[in-house]
Amino acid sequence: PPEPSTDLTGSSSPLRIRVMRQHADAGESEEEARIDPQDGKLRTLEQLRRACANRYSQAEIEAYWQDSCRPHVLQPFEGYWTHNSKTHAIQGEALYWHVGIETRLEVQSPTSFAIQLDGQTHEAHLDADGQHLSWSDGDRWIRAEDP
């Protein structure tokens, strides 16, 4: 899809996100992360507390966490992707463009999603090899290593 322009947020900062990984090894444990239904972002309870501390009580935040935030199931298309020498990240239900702009994903299946960009819908499907995202407009992204 065409990349969003940097003037949407006024930010031209490089991609600054660490894609959270869920570790299957019993020896490795990270704090549970859930998807916040308000924006599709993946957050831990501590991150939610910091983000909402000035607006809600701790009891309200914890109730929201328990009742509204969905447990995160790592989707095969999550991770880092390159296209035209630019790296983007997909985490939870959000696409983080290299310029610092975020776009909400509409997950359609474990291997496909859609985004709304400039009034148009763009669909992406993870190829069988798991290393390429094919977009409805013909673009093809390549899976990248974690930075």
Side-chain angles (χ1 to χ4, degrees), residues 108-126:
Q108 298 171 331
S109 78
T111 58
S112 64
F113 61 88
I115 60 171
Q116 298 295 318
L117 191 60
D118 298 328
Q120 294 185 346
T121 299
H122 298 273
E123 295 179 342
H125 180 78
L126 183 66

Side-chain angles (χ1 to χ4, degrees), residues 58-141:
Q58 288 301 310
E60 289 172 317
I61 293 168
E62 290 181 21
Y64 178 76
W65 172 262
Q66 290 297 325
D67 300 337
S68 299
C69 295
R70 295 186 319 277
H72 176 240
V73 176
L74 187 66
Q75 299 293 337
F77 52 75
E78 288 185 67
Y80 295 94
W81 298 92
T82 59
H83 181 253
N84 292 335
S85 304
K86 296 174 181 137
T87 301
H88 314 290
I90 297 174
Q91 181 182 51
E93 295 177 359
L95 167 58
Y96 298 87
W97 299 89
H98 73 285
V99 294
I101 296 171
E102 303 165 13
T103 302
R104 180 86 183 250
L105 301 183
E106 298 168 21
V107 177
Q108 298 171 331
S109 78
T111 58
S112 64
F113 61 88
I115 60 171
Q116 298 295 318
L117 191 60
D118 298 328
Q120 294 185 346
T121 299
H122 298 273
E123 295 179 342
H125 180 78
L126 183 66
D127 290 355
D129 67 4
Q131 300 302 305
H132 298 90
L133 270 179
S134 294
W135 289 88
S136 54
D137 65 357
D139 282 353
R140 194 157 187 221
W141 291 9

